[in-house]
Each structure stands twice: as structure tokens, then as C-alpha cells.
């Protein structure tokens, strides 16, 4: 197997809050290979954004990463231990360089008082050896590539002068212009209407193929994941409950939570039937359930087991795994020879 581009091992993220220390992410591990698109899916509050931000150390100052949390990135100059980076200078080389991020709300990526072009040029000059003139040409070319017409004129405008869809495209152009090894896309299409959403997804796919970059694609929409990702990681209350290829997770979901998310999707042939969302709400991180964190909402809950101990990860097939007692018992039932 090729060496992963980025490895997340035992990542735990806690926040100091007025109510005490809360756990937002609990010992998660995953890898992303070079050029791979990993979809990270889960309901609101499951910890997707804080995980993504950890990859660039972008979480707020009240964040605690536990001592055994490790995030390693492979670069041309060797392995970088991201959570060990302390100096702003070191971090700025990663941010927008090896790793770029696009956000749900594109305004967050642009400084309001500076033109889009100037920001793109500044970022390019920081992360490459381009001259100002070369950076300008490259930035205009990137704006043109993402489908912004009259790119040379738009280059001198501010983000607030762009329409929503255009801002999203400009943000993608800026994020991709430095040819990052990893692009983090945190719900990049949620705020867009469906037609523009499809265009943006197609655009990202084309550019990824051309630049060979890996993507961490975050969404709560499994439909979008099916269109974009190679592999999927399903997150619930700060834990990874199931991982596998898109085909494995969508065709043969093993974890009851993944099954619930898939059942909640509207089905074209049954548009008249009411949708069946996963029952209940995701608990607050202040009230993490004992045992399996999903047991309070699980239709297959086994009393005395699921509420008592934490399930370990069960391997199902090549690259497909789930953390669930029900899955584990089913697998054991199949493999254990009766006495
Ligand atoms: N700076 C912070 N201080 C305290 N708690 C935080 C902070 N940032 C995030 N959290 C908490 O961590 C948990 C995970 O948040 P996160 O933003 O990662 O969720 P998410 O999966 O991205 O949800 P969404 O789909 O709504 O974007 C939430 O309970 C959130 O309230
Ligand atoms: Mg989020």
C-alpha cells in the first residue's frame, strides 16, 4: 500500500468551556492516501469541522489535544508532525501551502477590505517562488478555470461584489492555486442551489484529477459523498463508527447509525412516503452516553452490552470496518466454529 499522505492517530479534541472540559472528538484514527477523496459524514455536532481544523491547527485557543494525539503529513521535505508545530511561521507554511481549506461560508476565506486578486497573489507569493507578475497571471488563470467570466476584471474586485456561487468558485480557485497536497472541503456546497452545487462538485473533481491532490470532503449529505468520494468515514458524537469504500458503506452499511443515515435519504421511487430520520437528537458532548455513544438512539441496542462497554473496531472486509457490538456478534457468529 502507498504511504498515506496524512495519518491521524488517536486524535482526541477537548475544549475548555464554562461548563467544564468537553470532549468533541474521541480517539479517532484514519489515513488519506495521495490523490484519494475521503468523505467525512455525520450529523451536525458530530465533530467533523473540529477534526478538519485540527489538520491545520486551526481550532480556537481553548482547544486541548490529548498527548497521544498524532497527525503526520508527508511532504517532499519529510514527515511533519502537525500538532507539534508551535510557531506561526511553521504553521503558515502548511496552511494554504501543503493543505488548503474551503469553507461552507466563502466570506470566511476572504478579508473584506482586500481585493480577491490581491489575496490570491499574496498567498501565491508566500507559498511559491513566483514573482508578483507571475502570481497575478496564475491567479487570473485560476479564476478563469473555475468558470468566472471576465476574470481579469473580477481579479480587482472584492469578495462582497461577487454572487454567492461566484464567491464559492473564487474560494476554490484560491485554495487550489497553490496546488496543495490536501484540500479540505468543509461543506463547500451546502449553501448553494442544486444546479450550482453540481457544477462545483464537477469542477472540484476535474481539478483534483488534474492536480492529483487528496481531498477530505465533509458533508452531512451521503448523496454528495456517493458522487465525490473514494472512501467514507462516518462520524457520530466525536467517534468514527464506520469506514470503508463508498461502495461498501453505501451498498452494505454495517453500523446501525450509517443504516439510519441512508434510510433518511429521500428515495425517488417512494417520494410520497414520509422520510424516516434517525430517531432522537445527537446528545450534547457534555452528556456523552456510556458504552457505545450511539446506544441511546440505536434500534438494535443490546441491553447490558452496548450501554456498558465501548465497542472495538470490527473488520468486515478489505478496508471496511465498524465499531459496533451487533456487527461484532454477527461477524463472530459467521466465523466461530461451534464447540
Ligand atoms: N471552540 C469550541 N469551544 C467549545 N466547543 C466547541 C468549539 N468548537 C466546536 N465545539 C463543539 O464540538 C462539537 C463538534 O463541533 P463541529 O463543529 O466539529 O461539528 P460538525 O460535525 O462540524 O457539525 P456541523 O455539521 O453542524 O458543521 C460540537 O458539540 C461543538 O459545539
Ligand atoms: Mg461543521
Amino acid at each position: 500500500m502507498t504511504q498515506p499522505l496524512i495519518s491521524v492517530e488517536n486524535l482526541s479534541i477537548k475544549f475548555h468551556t464554562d461548563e467544564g472540559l468537553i470532549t468533541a472528538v474521541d480517539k479517532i484514527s484514519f489515513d488519506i492516501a495521495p490523490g484519494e477523496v475521503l468523505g467525512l459524514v455525520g450529523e451536525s455536532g458530530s465533530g467533523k469541522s473540529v477534526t478538519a481544523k485540527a489538520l491545520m491547527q486551526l481550532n480556537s485557543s481553548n482547544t486541548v489535544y490529548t498527548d497521544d494525539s498524532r497527525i503526520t503529513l508527508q511532504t517532499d521535505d519529510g514527515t511533519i508532525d502537525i500538532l507539534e508545530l508551535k510557531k506561526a511561521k511553521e504553521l503558515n507554511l502548511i496552511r494554504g501551502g501543503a493543505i488548503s481549506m474551503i469553507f461552507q461560508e466563502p466570506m470566511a476565506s476572504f478579508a473584506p477590505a482586500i481585493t480577491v486578486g490581491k489575496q490570491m497573489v499574496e498567498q501565491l507569493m508566500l507559498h511559491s517562488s513566483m514573482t508578483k507578475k507571475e502570481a497575478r497571471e496564475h491567479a487570473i488563470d485560476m479564476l478563469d478555470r473555475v468558470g468566472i467570466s471576465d476574470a481579469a476584471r473580477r481579479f480587482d474586485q472584492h469578495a462582497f461584489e461577487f454572487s454567492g456561487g461566484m464567491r464559492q468558485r473564487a474560494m476554490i480557485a484560491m485554495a487550489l492555486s497553490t496546488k496543495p497536497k490536501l484540500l479540505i472541503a468543509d461543506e463547500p456546497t451546502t449553501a448553494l442551489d442544486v444546479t450550482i452545487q453540481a457544477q462545483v462538485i464537477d469542477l472540484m473533481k476535474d481539478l483534483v484529477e488534474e492536480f492529483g491532490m487528496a481531498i477530505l470532503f465533509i458533508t452531512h449529505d451521503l448523496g454528495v459523498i456517493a458522487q465525490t468520494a473514494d472512501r467514507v468515514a462516518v462520524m457520530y458524537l466525536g467517534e468514527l463508527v464506520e469506514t470503508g469504500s463508498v461502495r461498501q458503506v453505501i451498498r452494505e452499511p454495517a453500523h446501525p447509525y450509517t443504516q439510519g443515515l441512508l434510510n433518511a435519504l429521500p428515495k425517488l421511487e417512494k417520494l410520497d412516503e414520509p422520510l424516516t430520520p434517525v430517531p432522537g437528537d445527537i446528545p450534547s458532548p457534555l452528556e456523552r452516553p456510556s458504552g457505545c455513544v450511539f446506544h441511546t438512539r440505536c434500534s438494535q441496542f443490546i441491553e447490558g452490552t452496548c450501554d456498558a462497554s465501548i465497542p472495538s473496531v470490527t473488520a468486515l472486509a478489505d478496508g471496511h470496518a465498524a465499531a459496533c457490538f451487533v456487527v461484532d456478534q454477527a461477524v463472530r457468529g459467521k466465523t466461530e466454529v461451534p464447540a
Side-chain angles (χ1 to χ4, degrees), residues 173-299:
M174 181 155 88
L176 298 185
S177 63
T178 51
K179 295 198 180 154
K181 296 263 191 287
L182 175 67
L183 175 71
I184 302 172
D186 192 355
E187 315 234 13
T189 58
T190 324
L192 300 176
D193 69 52
V194 183
T195 327
I196 298 180
Q197 183 174 330
Q199 284 174 13
V200 169
I201 288 172
D202 280 348
L203 169 72
M204 280 177 52
K205 279 206 257 185
D206 288 351
L207 294 171
V208 160
E209 210 163 288
E210 187 180 330
F211 295 136
M213 70 184 72
I215 306 193
L216 177 62
F217 198 106
I218 299 174
T219 174
H220 33 239
D221 188 340
L222 267 169
V224 170
I225 291 281
Q227 286 174 48
T228 45
D230 303 311
R231 271 195 316 132
V232 191
V234 183
M235 200 162 187
Y236 182 79
L237 206 57
E239 300 194 4
L240 284 186
V241 296
E242 181 160 2
T243 48
S245 69
V246 167
R247 192 174 270 265
Q248 288 165 336
V249 174
I250 290 185
R251 292 238 178 113
E252 295 160 53
H255 197 284
Y257 179 58
T258 318
Q259 292 169 356
L261 286 180
L262 281 162
N263 273 336
L265 289 177
K267 292 172 190 64
L268 266 184
E269 67 280 12
K270 294 181 187 163
L271 284 179
D272 293 339
E273 289 182 17
L275 295 177
T276 41
V278 183
D281 294 319
I282 191 165
S284 141
L286 283 167
E287 290 154 9
R288 289 176 70 79
S290 61
C292 168
V293 281
F294 185 59
H295 86 257
T296 53
R297 297 171 71 191
C298 185
S299 58

Side-chain angles (χ1 to χ4, degrees), residues 113-175:
I114 308 175
T115 63
V116 168
K118 186 155 190 251
Q119 277 185 74
M120 289 183 78
V121 166
E122 278 175 6
Q123 180 168 310
L124 278 166
M125 289 179 71
L126 180 67
H127 295 293
S128 73
S129 51
M130 283 184 199
T131 63
K132 203 166 179 180
K133 186 165 174 284
E134 286 165 344
R136 182 190 151 87
E137 278 164 16
H138 183 60
I140 293 175
D141 182 46
M142 285 304 297
L143 290 173
D144 187 53
R145 295 277 300 283
V146 299
I148 292 182
S149 54
D150 206 0
R153 186 173 64 87
R154 293 289 183 186
F155 177 90
D156 287 317
Q157 290 187 337
H158 296 83
F160 63 79
E161 296 171 82
F162 286 22
S163 71
M166 211 187 284
R167 265 204 294 271
Q168 203 89 21
R169 284 160 184 266
M171 177 172 62
I172 294 175
M174 181 155 88

Side-chain angles (χ1 to χ4, degrees), residues 15 17 22 24 42-50 60 62 187 220 285:
F15 291 106
T17 68
I22 64 160
E43 281 164 298
S44 189
S46 52
K48 305 179 298 295
S49 293
V50 296
S60 48
N62 61 338
E187 315 234 13
H220 33 239

Side-chain angles (χ1 to χ4, degrees), residues 7-19:
S7 286
V8 173
E9 293 162 82
N10 275 319
L11 176 66
S12 295
I13 305 175
K14 295 174 195 278
F15 291 106
H16 285 293
T17 68
D18 292 345
E19 285 86 32

